[in-house]
Amino acid sequence: MNLEEARKKLESAGQEHALRYYDELNDGEKKALLDQIGSLDFSPIHYVHDRAELPKRGKITPLNFMSLDEIASKRDEFEKTGLEAIRQGKVGAVLLAGGMGTRLGSDNPKCMYDIGITKHVYIMERLIRNLMDVVDQAGVAVPLFIMTSEKNHDATVRFMNGHDFFGYDRSRVWFFKQDMAPATDYNGKVYMEAKDRIASSPNGNGGWFSSMQKAGLIEKLHELGIEWLNCFAVDNVLQRIADPVFVGATIASGCATGAKVVRKVAKDEKVGAMCLEDGKPSIVEYYDMTPELMDAVNEKGEPAYAGGVILNYLFREKDLEKVINEKLTLHIVEKKIPYMDEAGVFHKPDKPNGYKFETLILDMIHEMDTCLPFEVARDHEFAPIKNKTGVDSVESAQELCRKNGIEL
Ligand code: UTP
């Protein structure tokens, strides 16, 4: 993009200040800034002032989940179906590792975090081990796609190479990068990270499939014959990945998607809950749970919105292709954004100072016609690491690993 085009693009988004230092830059820096302006989408920023234009929630009604008891009674049948699909190469896994992990506060990508106590045990290592359990059982390596962002791609790839992919067959691993979104102050003006760089951050985990498309990986999915994709978060060190029972249950249900859920421990627990929204599967965020929803009960007299999602979803690939161009709900999230002030001094704030713009994978569930919520045992499959200490932390995950006999 040349200077004139960049100026026009910024003007129409009210962000002309991004060129404030342009004349001070050398040729390489000028090019880098123009390229970045060319690649960023500024269109979501106006919603900071026009939030009323964001789509409203539809009517929320319950969607029951398949309980642990029901799963146990059909376990063998589900496992057989799932293993067959995995052995036929129909199941791929997608690790969403593009996030910034700001709450954990490490400078390295989250997957590199060492949760070991007596030895090194990296988060990525635990995920690969979990996937290897299935690979060993099925006798074939599950294709693994790893989403990174411009901020952590090189470090992640170097780390995997440096550790020989933790024993995983590297010819069955593909990396792809997600897009970035500009980050703004509370007035919707982009922050500068440096004189030649607008502050930007990964644009949420909702763009994973379109990023796969941009990276040319849909052809790869076709070539490999993949029909199902299991997407999972980087931070749950206990989760089962490409779990044959989950895969088999979803296939047997005839649903287009499956979502692993845990039974919520409290009606106001801070996890999204499975539901129907205007008759289609959806997830109601904890901050959207009204007192009526919290107290609602199903036909068995149990809480009606008790299935908390754990960011482990199975999608039927051909259904993803149908909705790839649909616009997902935009989430404007308050975050800490490192920035350079007008005097050219760089700051790393310790409290939120502006907005990031994200779309979320959970909103993709609503694009699908059907979903099987599938219960998993919380103590065995849910150990997310969001913080260093306290709830959902390194400490709580270490304790859960210990309970599950995992040496750290
Ligand atoms: P989180 O919601 O925990 O976000 O991501 P985060 O950015 O990693 O962490 P904080 O909020 O800054 O502390 C849930 C999952 O989605 C991935 C993360 O890597 C994690 O696996 N993710 C998140 C992406 O892949 N891309 C994103 O843009 C955001």
Side-chain angles (χ1 to χ4, degrees):
M1 172 165 275
N2 66 34
L3 179 58
E4 220 24 65
E5 289 164 337
R7 197 163 271 144
K8 275 209 189 101
K9 184 169 178 182
L10 291 172
E11 264 169 25
S12 62
Q15 309 293 343
E16 305 87 309
H17 62 286
L19 285 171
R20 185 189 295 144
Y21 305 101
Y22 187 77
D23 293 338
E24 297 174 30
L25 305 177
N26 66 33
D27 286 352
E29 291 165 339
K30 281 181 176 162
K31 181 172 179 324
L33 179 57
L34 295 179
D35 284 351
Q36 190 197 18
I37 294 168
S39 72
L40 286 175
D41 176 10
F42 297 98
S43 63
I45 297 179
H46 80 90
Y47 287 109
V48 167
H49 301 294
D50 304 319
R51 285 180 196 239
E53 287 177 20
L54 288 169
K56 299 273 169 299
R57 286 223 82 124
K59 185 172 162 30
I60 305 292
T61 51
L63 172 61
N64 288 341
F65 54 80
M66 185 179 265
S67 68
L68 288 174
D69 286 347
E70 198 179 342
I71 295 164
S73 71
K74 297 184 186 148
R75 195 189 157 82
D76 292 350
E77 178 197 324
F78 289 156
E79 189 168 51
K80 186 164 169 275
T81 307
L83 277 174
E84 204 171 279
I86 293 167
R87 289 190 179 119
Q88 290 169 348
K90 291 182 181 169
V91 182
V94 183
L95 166 58
L96 304 175
M100 296 287 282
T102 43
R103 283 169 286 174
L104 187 60
S106 163
D107 286 335
N108 285 326
K110 208 185 235 188
C111 67
M112 292 172 62
Y113 200 88
D114 186 357
I115 60 165
I117 296 169
T118 60
K119 56 181 183 174
H120 296 298
V121 180
Y122 303 100
I123 289 183
M124 181 68 100
E125 181 177 1
R126 281 261 24 102
L127 299 176
I128 297 285
R129 292 263 171 279
N130 295 347
L131 182 54
M132 292 270 242
D133 286 346
V134 174
V135 170
D136 291 344
Q137 191 185 5
V140 295
V142 174
L144 172 63
F145 301 89
I146 302 180
M147 182 165 85
T148 59
S149 83
E150 176 190 296
K151 301 257 178 191
N152 67 12
H153 181 83
D154 294 347
T156 304
V157 174
R158 244 193 334 267
F159 178 68
M160 287 296 271
N161 278 315
H163 289 274
D164 197 20
F165 284 61
F166 295 101
Y168 209 74
D169 178 353
R170 64 172 72 201
S171 71
R172 305 288 280 170
V173 181
W174 292 266
F175 293 91
F176 64 102
K177 282 191 214 172
Q178 70 174 99
D179 287 337
M180 304 295 283
T184 72
D185 63 17
Y186 288 123
N187 290 316
K189 295 289 175 195
V190 293
Y191 276 117
M192 297 304 288
E193 204 168 72
K195 291 186 175 177
D196 63 342
R197 207 157 170 79
I198 294 169
S200 64
S201 67
N203 65 349
N205 54 29
W208 67 275
F209 195 63
S210 52
S211 297
M212 281 188 93
Q213 184 188 42
K214 276 192 194 162
L217 286 171
I218 308 263
E219 288 75 41
K220 179 56 71 184
L221 297 177
H222 294 168
E223 184 191 314
L224 295 169
I226 290 178
E227 293 179 10
W228 294 92
L229 285 170
N230 180 205
C231 293
F232 62 101
V234 75
D235 47 40
N236 178 4
V237 288
L238 278 187
Q239 68 193 314
R240 296 209 72 202
I241 302 157
D243 172 358
V245 185
F246 178 43
V247 172
T250 307
I251 293 176
S253 73
C255 288
T257 54
K260 285 197 169 186
V261 299
V262 291
R263 206 172 278 262
K264 282 164 61 179
V265 284
K267 61 184 180 182
D268 58 353
E269 188 185 351
K270 289 188 173 169
V271 293
M274 277 310 305
C275 64
L276 290 173
E277 181 178 351
D278 292 336
K280 286 180 79 181
S282 190
I283 287 139
V284 49
E285 283 283 17
Y286 68 89
Y287 45 76
D288 284 335
M289 285 289 280
T290 58
E292 293 76 53
L293 293 179
M294 284 189 208
D295 292 330
V297 288
N298 63 16
E299 61 288 348
K300 293 186 208 150
E302 296 165 343
Y305 300 94
V309 287
I310 61 167
L311 217 174
N312 189 310
Y313 302 108
L314 189 67
F315 290 92
R316 190 159 55 199
E317 197 275 337
K318 68 175 185 325
D319 293 64
L320 286 167
E321 289 191 38
K322 283 190 221 151
V323 300
I324 195 161
N325 294 320
E326 297 295 323
K327 273 224 175 305
L328 295 177
T329 305
L330 179 72
H331 295 256
I332 303 179
V333 201
E334 263 194 77
K335 291 260 179 171
K336 298 178 211 165
I337 301 155
Y339 70 101
M340 192 189 76
D341 67 18
E342 290 191 3
V345 180
F346 187 73
H347 298 268
K348 226 175 160 187
D350 50 18
K351 51 181 200 308
N353 60 334
Y355 299 123
K356 289 186 177 177
F357 300 83
E358 300 186 335
T359 59
L360 303 180
I361 187 170
L362 55 82
D363 290 318
M364 278 175 99
I365 294 289
H366 190 50
E367 300 296 320
M368 302 289 157
D369 292 330
T370 45
C371 178
L372 173 75
F374 176 95
E375 187 183 7
V376 295
R378 191 175 182 118
D379 282 356
H380 297 308
E381 268 209 55
F382 190 42
I385 298 178
K386 302 287 183 193
N387 308 296
K388 277 210 168 90
T389 56
V391 177
D392 296 344
S393 66
V394 177
E395 283 176 0
S396 59
Q398 285 170 330
E399 177 58 15
L400 282 161
C401 284
R402 194 188 57 74
K403 278 192 188 153
N404 281 281
I406 296 165
E407 262 182 57
L408 293 179

